[in-house]
Amino acid sequence: MAAETGLSITTVSRVLNGKENVAPETRERVREVVDRLGARAPQPRPREAAPPSTAPVFVRCPYLLTDYFGHIVTSVAETLSAHGRTMLLDAGDSVVESTVLRGLPGRRETRGAVLILPPEPAQELEALASRHYPVVVVDPRIAVPRGTVSVRAAHFSGARSATRHLVALGHRRIGVISGPSSWLARDDRVAGHLAALSEAGVLGSPEMMRHGEPKDETGLLAGGELLDLAERPTAIVCFNDKVAVGVLQAAAARGLSVPQDLSVTGFDDIDVSRATTPPLTTVRQPLREMGRVAVTMLLRQLDGHPHEALSIELETQLVVRASTGPVPRAAG
């Protein structure tokens, strides 16, 4: 290890064992080599830690704990408590750039981790997998490394159910505002939407598709673009409820009534979906169940039990409210 880094054995030992008086660039050099060596890297010297049965679980959720994320984290905390466990929470927008995952295998004060929509690149998740660190990923952004346990909602079937609902109401010119192009959920939901259109004998049109960050500003801008088309859509399927809120604002700014002139669907079924005018038709994600299942799967790993299924998809549910209606007569 010393030869790999060009540092003294004492310095490498200080970094591995979390000692002070090490320059940040030196610490980073050692961590890079540890990640590259994987299981062949030397392990930190054992130090006093909480007993394995009571050590907190590390929970990383680098987002504001509102709506979507708050439900998952609350469920994780409650489920851990029910099993006599606590958690060490790493949350908030300020920690999104943190490199904390790299040092998890060497931390003795926590045991195991639940990672919620982790923004880290594949290499960092692969480094954890190569060192056999117990972890469960909730709603992964990208494909998780082979052997990594994950829990997610059934995005494909959820999106298909929303578009099937619109097709049954007579809509054929349906716009889509999807999420970031690199997200797994985005690919699955677009595929579900296109599958529902195909069942009705309709080809999806690139002109009717937009994508962006899952927030209301995206709905306002992308929704406005769709509604300003020469042949505007009669319905818009949104990546989440926040995007749908933006679409409702774009429609109102153009004097369009929902659902008389335009039908709108969301995804998630967070609180805002019931507070809009009209209330949103949306797809309910089992957010609290995702948290419960993640903890259950992590505890099985910590107890040494093998998993028969490494990736679990939980059922979604279409919730029909007043933001969707029959296709406008003129369009039909």
Side-chain angles (χ1 to χ4, degrees), residues 153-161 185 187-193 195 267 313:
H155 297 290
F156 176 91
S157 61
R160 183 175 57 184
S161 69
D187 293 343
D188 287 350
R189 293 185 196 175
V190 169
H193 166 72
F267 208 105
E313 282 197 355

Side-chain angles (χ1 to χ4, degrees), residues 142-154:
I142 58 177
V144 297
R146 183 177 179 84
T148 299
V149 180
S150 66
V151 183
R152 63 200 302 258

Side-chain angles (χ1 to χ4, degrees), residues 153-195:
H155 297 290
F156 176 91
S157 61
R160 183 175 57 184
S161 69
T163 300
R164 278 177 170 174
H165 166 67
L166 293 171
V167 167
L169 291 170
H171 297 276
R172 296 295 184 272
R173 219 161 47 245
I174 302 174
V176 178
I177 304 177
S178 67
S181 57
S182 60
W183 287 20
L184 278 177
R186 181 258 187 186
D187 293 343
D188 287 350
R189 293 185 196 175
V190 169
H193 166 72
L194 294 177

Side-chain angles (χ1 to χ4, degrees), residues 42-67:
Q43 298 301 307
R45 183 171 58 249
R47 53 183 191 263
E48 290 224 2
S53 60
T54 60
V57 167
F58 185 80
V59 178
R60 177 158 165 78
C61 182
Y63 310 95
L64 292 177
L65 298 186
T66 57
D67 302 325

Side-chain angles (χ1 to χ4, degrees), residues 269-326:
D269 194 31
I270 58 176
D271 292 344
V272 72
S273 67
R274 293 176 288 279
T276 57
T277 303
L280 276 172
T281 291
T282 187
V283 176
R284 179 176 296 154
Q285 287 207 66
L287 302 178
R288 296 183 68 85
E289 183 65 12
M290 286 161 67
R292 285 192 289 269
V293 171
V295 171
T296 300
M297 297 178 78
L298 180 65
L299 293 180
R300 284 184 58 82
Q301 290 184 68
L302 294 176
D303 290 340
H305 299 299
H307 284 291
E308 293 183 2
L310 293 176
S311 180
I312 291 182
E313 282 197 355
L314 300 178
E315 185 180 9
T316 55
Q317 178 185 355
L318 178 67
V319 180
V320 178
R321 299 196 180 101
S323 69
T324 51

